[in-house]
Amino acid sequence: DENNYVGACSAEFCSALSPLIERSPCGELTLTLLSTSSADGLLKWVAHLLAIGNDLPLVSADATKAIMTVFDLYFLTVLRICASSRTNEDVLIGLGRGSSVQSLSSSLMSVTMEADACAPLPSEVEGVATLQRFIQHSRRRLDRMVNLDKFQTT
């Protein structure tokens, strides 16, 4: 049953990741969000965790959770570094509009307005709903493990 899968095998993870997979001209499948160096490191960790899960069935659920955590941390860190703040992340993925934020300094306001210019239009938000759910679930999973606000750039 598809609903019993968790982590890297879950429908949530697969549906969020599938739009990011492209086929290169030589026929190789690649993740468009990963640089070659990060893909090599990230994919090596994932391969090790998958091998552990396969070889030791008693810890396979823990290995799957670790894989999900590695991807959550990678994607949310990249998003935070690119967006520069959680407010901008929310704007970029259609969870809010930056121009309505009144309490920001002028320098932060200009960055937020820039994010607002790149945000999906209200009519496009339905198209990013899967991404929104993935980001929100990833934030909840990592909430007690890491403070992504330390990656904010101001």
Side-chain angles (χ1 to χ4, degrees), residues 23-34:
R23 188 170 299 278
S24 69
C26 64
E28 191 175 73
L29 292 176
T30 60
L31 259 171
T32 57
L33 284 183
L34 299 177

Side-chain angles (χ1 to χ4, degrees), residues 1 3 16-17 26 36 38 45 50 54 59 64 78 90 95 99 106-108 114 118 121 134 142-143 149 151:
D1 181 17
N3 296 327
L17 202 59
C26 64
T36 302
S38 61
W45 270 102
L50 287 171
N54 285 336
V59 297
T64 299
V78 169
D90 288 346
L95 293 173
S99 57
S106 61
S107 63
L108 285 177
E114 186 177 321
C118 298
L121 297 170
F134 178 76
L142 291 177
D143 189 43
D149 293 334
F151 295 106

Side-chain angles (χ1 to χ4, degrees), residues 136-147:
Q136 290 172 323
H137 291 160
S138 295
R139 285 176 177 172
R140 280 194 294 275
R141 283 188 291 267
L142 291 177
D143 189 43
R144 293 193 173 141
M145 292 182 213
V146 65
N147 181 359

Side-chain angles (χ1 to χ4, degrees), residues 73-99:
L73 185 58
Y74 177 80
F75 288 125
L76 290 183
T77 301
V78 169
L79 180 61
R80 180 60 55 95
I81 289 170
C82 292
S84 80
S85 72
R86 183 178 177 138
T87 301
N88 288 348
E89 286 176 14
D90 288 346
V91 171
L92 288 170
I93 63 173
L95 293 173
R97 303 305 296 182
S99 57

Side-chain angles (χ1 to χ4, degrees), residues 121-141:
L121 297 170
S123 61
E124 299 170 324
V125 171
E126 187 177 311
V128 294
T130 302
L131 175 64
Q132 290 172 341
R133 283 191 305 275
F134 178 76
I135 297 296
Q136 290 172 323
H137 291 160
S138 295
R139 285 176 177 172
R140 280 194 294 275
R141 283 188 291 267

